[in-house]
């Protein structure tokens, strides 16, 4: 039997799943005994190696940690059938998106999971989420996914939408990849582009990316600040299908100024669902001709991480535009 077990590496990075009540609130620990016991039980079905690479609440996970996680996965994949990553839920969607870009031509399963309650608590969802993640690896679902609450979501389509419910994540503008039933995983979603070559680690990125969510009356001078601070990329969450105000406080002129100064401006909607289209209204069209890039139906998490990744690869605006017009991991419907 031993030979048929899938070899799975579990990379632990912290998060609620590995947390315990400390003096200052919930704090992660590197090897909680309850997590190790759960893995021992799963070890009846999988050949599991446990490696703690970080011990952080995911609010502390940033570019450097994404690179460490991506490199750890890249180095492990030749010898494992798949990788499960335990991670805090708060920024899991960002990490999952970034890994989707950094690990090009990924034909094996990389599945992130975590929980809303620590694994040591009686009502915890940790064990069931872990079991779902391992089932996804066992199925061999290629690419980066998030396994949570019996659902498997494409990493670059995931958004954390609930703070307390166990059903914390949704797949936005794309069906779930799969769902866990009593008889195993039912795959329902479409596949992302097929790998076109060997697995490649593309882990350079640019941290000088800003996300700006507009409110009615946003002061246009905020764009001067962004220029002064040398941001190279800005994701702009505009209103509805695609609009921003130009009367009294002219945001459109400021967007133009950013683009003329060589900043890559990606525009998307504040609405969670469906695509943006800045060509519909005058309040959107005004910036279309300035050279902004439309994020269409990408999640904000995917747009931000894709921009960081694109600017890590190139200084050329044309190339950034080309990258955004490419569907790398199922993040955009073209
Ligand atoms: N604050 C925690 C984290 O993101 C929340 C969680 O894991 O559910 O690390």
């Amino acid at each position: 039997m031993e030979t048929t077990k899938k070899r799975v590496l579990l990379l632990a990075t912290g998060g609620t799943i590995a947390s315990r009540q400390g003096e200052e609130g919930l704090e992660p620990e590197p090897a909680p005994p309850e997590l190790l016991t759960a893995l021992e039980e799963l070890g009846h079905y999988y050949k599991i190696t446990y490696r703690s690479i970080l011990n952080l609440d995911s609010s502390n996970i940033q570019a450097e940690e994404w690179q460490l996680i991506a490199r750890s996965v890249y180095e492990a994949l030749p010898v494992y059938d798949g990788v499960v990553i335990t991670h805090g839920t708060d920024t899991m969607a960002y990490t999952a998106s970034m890994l989707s870009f950094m690990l090009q031509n990924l034909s094996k399963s990389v599945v992130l999971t975590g929980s809303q309650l620590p694994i040591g608590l009686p009502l915890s969802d940790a064990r069931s989420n872990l079991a779902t993640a391992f089932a996804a690896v066992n199925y061999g679902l290629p690419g980066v996914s998030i396994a949570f609450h019996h659902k498997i979501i494409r990493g670059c389509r995931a958004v954390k939408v609930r703070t307390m419910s166990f059903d914390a994540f949704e797949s936005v503008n794309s069906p779930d990849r799969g769902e866990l039933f009593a008889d195993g995983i039912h795959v329902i979603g479409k596949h992302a582009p097929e790998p076109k070559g060997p697995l490649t680690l593309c882990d350079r990125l640019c941290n000088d990316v800003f996300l700006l969510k507009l409110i009615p009356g946003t002061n246009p001078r905020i764009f001067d600040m962004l220029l002064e601070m040398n941001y190279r990329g800005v994701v702009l969450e505009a209103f509805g299908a695609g609009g921003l105000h130009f009367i009294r406080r002219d945001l459109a002129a400021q967007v133009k100024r950013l683009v003329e100064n060589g900043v890559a401006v990606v525009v998307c909607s504040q609405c969670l669902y469906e695509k943006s289209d800045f060509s519909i209204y005058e309040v959107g069209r005004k910036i279309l001709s300035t050279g902004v890039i439309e994020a269409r139906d990408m999640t904000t998490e995917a747009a931000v991480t894709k921009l960081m990744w694109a600017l890590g690869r190139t200084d050329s605006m044309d190339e950034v535009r080309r990258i955004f017009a490419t569907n790398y991991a199922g993040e955009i419907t073209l």
Side-chain angles (χ1 to χ4, degrees), residues 92-101 106 108 110-112 136 141-148 151-160 169-179 187-195 299 301-302 327-333:
M92 190 188 285
Y94 284 95
T95 301
S97 274
M98 189 52 105
L99 291 179
S100 309
F101 301 125
L106 182 57
K108 291 185 180 176
V110 174
V111 185
L112 291 99
L141 218 50
V144 179
S145 310
I146 288 183
F148 220 86
K151 292 190 295 194
I152 314 214
I153 296 171
R154 187 175 297 293
C156 52
R157 289 285 190 173
V159 177
K160 185 175 180 185
F169 287 89
E170 262 180 37
S171 181
V172 170
N173 296 334
S174 175
D176 291 338
R177 299 194 73 188
E179 202 179 325
V187 171
I188 41 190
K190 283 185 299 188
H191 289 287
E194 293 290 323
T299 65
E301 287 84 342
N327 178 21
Y328 288 92
E331 74 278 10
I332 191 167
T333 312

Side-chain angles (χ1 to χ4, degrees), residues 15-16 57-58 88-90 115-116:
T16 295
D57 187 290
S58 74
T89 60
D90 293 344
S115 62
Q116 292 284 67

Side-chain angles (χ1 to χ4, degrees), residues 3-80:
T3 47
T4 61
K5 284 183 184 176
K6 289 255 171 92
R7 288 156 306 166
V8 186
L9 174 66
L10 188 133
L11 292 175
T13 72
T16 295
I17 190 167
S19 288
R20 207 172 289 285
Q21 196 64 44
E23 281 180 8
E24 315 251 359
L26 283 177
E27 294 165 10
E29 55 184 55
E34 297 89 342
L35 179 58
L36 299 184
T37 306
L39 293 177
E40 226 175 272
E41 287 166 16
L42 285 164
H44 294 303
Y45 309 99
Y46 313 99
K47 200 167 182 314
I48 303 172
T49 306
Y50 179 81
R51 197 172 294 156
S52 170
I53 52 168
L54 291 166
N55 188 39
L56 295 172
D57 187 290
S58 74
S59 294
N60 271 321
I61 289 194
Q62 301 161 50
E64 296 79 357
E65 285 75 26
W66 291 332
Q67 286 169 327
L68 172 68
I69 298 170
R71 283 170 201 161
S72 305
V73 172
Y74 176 75
E75 281 158 20
L77 277 177
V79 283
Y80 290 93

